[in-house]
């Protein structure tokens, strides 16, 4: 069985990671990690090209750190993670779903909210879209 944990550094994605680890230990499942960096090339901001490039680079480096930390946690639990550090995409949910389809993932374990500052919705928009359009079962961790 293959588990996918989209990880963004939020406390919700960390809870999802630990839930996936517990499940993998019981079922001998493989854990795949992915961090999706939002596309910044067409962002309509009044910033220069070099500032936009610095923003993208910063997001990618942060993503690499988040995935590396999660891989270390999984390895520390005696499991072998499959770390897919960075995917850049216009749509974060689409990138997660596309990855799940390509890798034939059996279960996506996702946090109920990510790094979005919005507290208006009880469930994050990324998680909601993944649940709606996923090719496999999704386990939402609160």
């Amino acid at each position: 069985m293959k588990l996918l944990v989209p990880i963004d550094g939020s406390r919700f994605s960390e809870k999802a990671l630990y839930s996936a680890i517990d499940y993998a230990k019981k079922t001998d499942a493989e854990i795949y990690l992915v961090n999706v960096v939002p596309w910044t090339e067409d962002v309509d901001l009044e910033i220069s090209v070099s500032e936009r490039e610095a923003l993208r680079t910063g997001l990618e480096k942060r993503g690499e750190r988040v995935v590396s930390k999660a891989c270390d946690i999984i390895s520390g639990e005696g499991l072998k993670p499959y770390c897919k550090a960075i995917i850049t995409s216009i749509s974060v949910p689409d990138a997660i779903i596309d990855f799940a389809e390509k890798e034939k993932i059996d279960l996506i374990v996702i946090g109920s909210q990510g790094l979005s500052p919005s507290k208006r919705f009880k469930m994050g928009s990324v998680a909601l879209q993944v649940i709606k359009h996923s090719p496999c079962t999704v386990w939402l961790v609160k």
Side-chain angles (χ1 to χ4, degrees):
M1 174 174 246
K2 294 180 177 181
L3 308 179
L4 173 61
V5 182
I7 192 109
D8 65 3
S10 69
R11 66 185 172 102
F12 294 98
S13 71
E14 188 172 329
K15 286 181 180 182
L17 176 64
Y18 282 105
S19 294
I21 288 169
D22 289 343
Y23 187 78
K25 284 180 176 180
K26 294 173 185 168
T27 62
D28 200 32
E30 301 171 337
I31 300 177
Y32 288 72
L33 297 173
V34 67
N35 175 272
V36 181
V37 174
W39 183 259
T40 58
E41 301 306 315
D42 297 330
V43 174
D44 187 23
L45 297 174
E46 294 186 15
I47 60 174
S48 69
V49 174
S50 63
E51 290 171 321
R52 191 172 295 138
E53 180 66 24
L55 173 63
R56 184 187 56 77
T57 301
L59 290 170
E60 287 177 356
K61 286 182 180 181
R62 184 182 185 289
E64 289 169 4
R65 284 192 307 272
V66 165
V67 170
S68 177
K69 178 183 173 188
C71 285
D72 290 345
I73 291 169
I74 293 169
S75 296
E77 294 289 333
L79 301 170
K80 181 183 183 293
Y82 297 87
C83 303
K84 306 289 183 181
I86 298 294
I87 297 174
T88 301
S89 178
I90 293 172
S91 168
V92 174
D94 284 347
I96 293 167
I97 292 165
D98 291 346
F99 183 88
E101 289 173 344
K102 180 182 173 197
E103 295 294 330
K104 297 180 177 33
I105 297 295
D106 299 298
L107 175 65
I108 298 172
V109 183
I110 191 168
S112 61
Q113 292 180 318
L115 292 175
S116 173
S118 175
K119 299 293 184 204
R120 171 178 267 175
F121 303 104
K122 296 294 181 197
M123 185 181 342
S125 60
V126 170
L128 182 59
Q129 292 304 311
V130 170
I131 289 168
K132 285 170 121 177
H133 303 289
S134 173
C136 61
T137 301
V138 178
W139 179 2
L140 181 71
V141 178
K142 288 187 169 196

